[in-house]
């Protein structure tokens, strides 16, 4: 953490992308600019070329034994041609691991020189696909091995030893591939654990900051209450002792001025502490009652039918908190009417005068025809009720007599 902003963690393999398989590069999101199938890394090219050479080497060894077998005329050439095509197909192992491994099962049954390519395909399948795919392919190999050595027995090994060695080789390749796959999954799980740990640490830091701000705000609130109490005591003394000596009146007035100044300073500090965790737009000017006409105009431009009936004696004298609450009530009422009663004519009525309070009403008739369901949390009216209560007013909402819906707010205006 640096101040209040978390530092952006750089990937552990940033700058060493070529060391990773392309599958892990995609999982680690080291190449976000490229979508789709990831490109081969330098490590992939080395591994693929090594697998190709291994398949060719095993195929050449098998080709030397073809002359010792009693094969029909031309079958040896066919065997070598199929083996060469199988070695070339090794370069497709990353794109189609399941298809290549399944295709190599019958190919390996008819071609001895394709054995190396079939082992590479089986290894690739174990690395890149879940175990259920490996079981089917490896099990098919295990079943066909006795059949293959019955048809084409090894000249230098007994039948039982040939089947056992082939089965052992198949199991070794599968086990090796699953080991590689498990190591990759371990790396991904460690990556996820590190991300969760970073997220939890950031949340704990934010929670600690919030708790610290709340503690500071409570402490400042106590200090502010003390200063205001002191100010009230001296003001009450001046009220009940208007005939006090001039020096005493001046001293009391000085204490009142200093206490008021200190109280304002404490209040600014409290607000600053509480706003420290808000986003950058938290200090924007808040709407007041004067912005109500702009809100209605914006709703009309959006296609709503809105009638504004504003009968306020002195709109400029409305307290900022009261005007802001009235604006929010009208805004929430228009939003609900637009969602739940589209096409109806909404009436916004604002009346009031100093001493009589301020009344805000948003009414819409029942919509004509069925209205598609619009999901909503229902928290808007609950929050407005709490806002009106904190202002000293009330908020009511519910069905109107004509079947529509109405939101009514009553706010104090002393």
């Amino acid at each position: 953490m640096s101040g209040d902003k978390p530092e952006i963690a750089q990937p552990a393999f940033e700058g060493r992308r070529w060391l990773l398989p392309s599958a892990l590069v995609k999982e680690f999101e080291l190449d976000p600019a490229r979508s789709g199938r990831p490109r081969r890394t330098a490590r992939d090219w080395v591994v693929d070329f090594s697998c190709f050479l291994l398949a060719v080497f095993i195929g050449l060894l098998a080709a030397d034994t073809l002359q010792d077998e009693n094969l029909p005329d031309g079958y040896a050439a066919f065997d070598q041609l199929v083996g060469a095509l199988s070695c070339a197909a090794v370069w497709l192992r990353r794109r189609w691991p399941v298809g290549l491994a399944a295709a190599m099962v019958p190919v390996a049954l008819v071609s001895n020189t394709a054995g190396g390519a079939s082992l590479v395909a089986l290894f690739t399948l174990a690395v890149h696909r879940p175990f259920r795919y490996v079981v089917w392919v490896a099990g098919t190999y295990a079943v066909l091995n006795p059949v293959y050595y019955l048809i084409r027995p090894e000249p230098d090994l007994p039948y039982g030893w040939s089947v056992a060695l082939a089965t052992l080789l198949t199991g070794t390749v599968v086990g090796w591939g699953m080991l590689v796959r498990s190591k990759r999954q371990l790396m991904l799980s460690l990556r996820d654990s590190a991300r969760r740990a970073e997220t939890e640490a950031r949340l704990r830091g934010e929670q600690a900051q919030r708790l610290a701000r709340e503690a500071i705000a409570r402490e400042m609130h106590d200090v502010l209450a003390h200063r205001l109490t002191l100010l009230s005591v001296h003001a009450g003394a001046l009220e009940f002792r208007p005939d006090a000596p001039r020096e005493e009146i001046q001293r009391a007035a000085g204490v009142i001025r200093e206490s008021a100044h200190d109280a304002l300073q404490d209040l600014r500090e409290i607000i600053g502490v509480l706003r420290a965790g808000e986003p950058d737009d938290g200090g924007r000017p808040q709407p007041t009652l004067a912005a109500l006409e702009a809100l209605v105009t914006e709703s009309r431009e959006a296609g709503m039918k809105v009638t504004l009936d504003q009968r306020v004696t002195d709109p400029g004298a409305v307290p900022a908190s009261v005007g802001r609450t009235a604006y929010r009530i009208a805004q929430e009422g228009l939003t609900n009417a637009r969602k739940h009663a589209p096409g109806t004519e909404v009436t916004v009525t604002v009346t009031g005068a100093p001493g009589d309070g301020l009344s805000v009403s948003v009414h819409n008739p029942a919509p004509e025809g069925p209205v598609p369901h619009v999901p909503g949390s229902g928290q808007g009216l609950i929050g407005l009720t709490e806002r009106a209560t904190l202002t000293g007013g009330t908020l009511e909402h519910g069905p109107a007599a004509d079947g529509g819906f109405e939101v009514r707010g009553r706010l104090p205006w002393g």
Side-chain angles (χ1 to χ4, degrees), residues 294-306 334-335 337-339 342-344:
L295 175 65
V296 171
T297 302
E298 180 182 354
S299 299
R300 289 171 179 167
E301 293 176 353
M304 293 185 66
K305 302 175 183 178
V306 185
L334 290 173
T335 301
R338 183 166 57 250
K339 291 194 300 184
T344 60

Side-chain angles (χ1 to χ4, degrees), residues 47-48 50-52 54-55 58 90 93 100 114-126 173:
V47 173
D48 290 349
S50 300
C51 290
F52 173 73
L54 178 63
I58 296 177
V90 167
R93 68 189 189 93
L100 180 61
S118 64
L119 291 178
V120 173
L122 183 60
F123 172 78
T124 304
L125 180 67
V173 171

Side-chain angles (χ1 to χ4, degrees), residues 137-274:
V137 177
T140 305
Y141 273 114
V143 171
L144 293 180
N145 278 336
V147 178
Y148 175 81
Y149 287 107
L150 278 177
I151 300 174
R152 303 179 64 173
E154 286 286 340
D156 299 331
L157 283 177
Y159 172 77
W161 278 102
S162 299
V163 174
L165 289 177
T167 305
L168 178 62
L169 184 59
T170 301
T172 302
V173 171
V174 170
W176 185 18
M178 293 181 62
L179 176 63
V180 174
R181 177 177 174 82
S182 65
K183 290 179 64 177
R184 294 185 179 183
Q185 290 178 338
L186 177 61
M187 292 180 65
L188 294 177
S189 65
L190 292 176
R191 185 274 311 268
D192 295 337
S193 300
R195 286 184 175 178
R196 284 195 298 269
E198 291 175 359
T199 303
E200 292 174 359
R202 184 175 66 253
L203 292 177
R204 285 195 299 268
E206 293 175 356
Q207 183 180 14
Q209 291 177 353
R210 185 177 66 254
L211 294 176
R213 292 191 187 105
E214 292 176 357
I216 294 173
R218 284 194 297 267
E219 182 178 353
M220 291 181 177
H221 173 269
D222 296 339
V223 176
L224 180 62
H226 170 73
R227 298 189 189 280
L228 292 179
T229 302
L230 185 64
L231 188 150
S232 177
V233 169
H234 285 83
L238 290 180
E239 180 181 5
F240 289 102
R241 290 289 307 278
D243 56 344
R246 181 180 179 86
E247 292 79 5
E248 187 175 345
I249 294 177
Q250 290 179 347
R251 185 169 60 253
V255 172
I256 292 175
R257 179 182 60 79
E258 293 179 1
S259 299
H261 176 73
D262 294 340
L264 287 176
Q265 290 295 113
D266 293 338
L267 185 58
R268 291 191 187 99
E269 292 181 4
I270 293 176
I271 296 175
V273 168
L274 295 180

